[in-house]
Amino acid sequence: EYSRRLQQAVKSKLQVVQKKANTDHQKERQKERARTLKDKRRAKAEKKAQGQSATASSTARSTAKFGEVVQRPPSFSKDTLKSLSKGQAVKSSAANLSDYASQVRNAYEEMKKKR
């Protein structure tokens, strides 16, 4: 019984001594990293808040109530408008199906020439 308790006490003390300890330099690096991450998050949140306030002020309108008939075009965010314009650019490049097919054939021919 005594030897078991003694072994346990020695083991617990050795565990504390053998445990990996962060040096002062490592602690400073971790603190600095945490600070920079916190600053980045804060800057991103401020940028997002500024963008939302700008869009909110530019699109200041009353919201439609349930059942109300609204006669106005839909309003989209900048990101949505950007993605919509990308889709329209691709569609406008080929007026009809035959033009598109010829463009694809030309593209394949270009690829074969490059090989």
Side-chain angles (χ1 to χ4, degrees):
E1 180 66 26
Y2 174 74
S3 62
R4 184 182 62 77
R5 285 186 286 134
L6 185 64
Q7 285 283 342
Q8 190 176 13
V10 169
K11 186 176 178 180
S12 66
K13 286 192 177 196
L14 283 176
Q15 282 178 344
V16 171
V17 171
Q18 290 177 343
K19 184 179 176 184
K20 180 183 174 190
N22 288 342
T23 62
D24 292 338
H25 178 66
Q26 289 173 325
K27 288 178 186 176
E28 287 300 318
R29 282 180 38 210
Q30 289 172 350
K31 286 180 186 178
E32 183 62 30
R33 183 173 180 268
R35 263 188 245 119
T36 57
L37 289 174
K38 191 175 182 181
D39 291 342
K40 284 182 184 179
R41 274 189 245 119
R42 186 183 315 118
K44 187 175 181 181
E46 288 173 359
K47 184 177 178 183
K48 186 176 182 180
Q50 287 175 354
Q52 287 178 350
S53 66
T55 58
S57 63
S58 65
T59 61
R61 65 184 192 319
S62 61
T63 58
K65 308 238 181 330
F66 179 74
E68 181 181 353
V69 177
V70 180
Q71 299 293 328
R72 65 171 177 255
S75 59
F76 298 112
S77 68
K78 290 179 183 178
D79 296 332
T80 307
L81 291 173
K82 187 176 179 182
S83 66
L84 286 173
S85 67
K86 285 181 185 176
Q88 290 172 355
V90 171
K91 290 179 186 176
S92 65
S93 65
N96 58 23
L97 192 60
S98 61
D99 290 342
Y100 178 72
S102 65
Q103 287 177 356
V104 171
R105 277 190 219 105
N106 292 337
Y108 276 113
E109 289 174 12
E110 293 282 328
M111 287 172 43
K112 286 181 183 178
K113 288 178 185 177
K114 288 182 181 178
R115 291 184 191 169

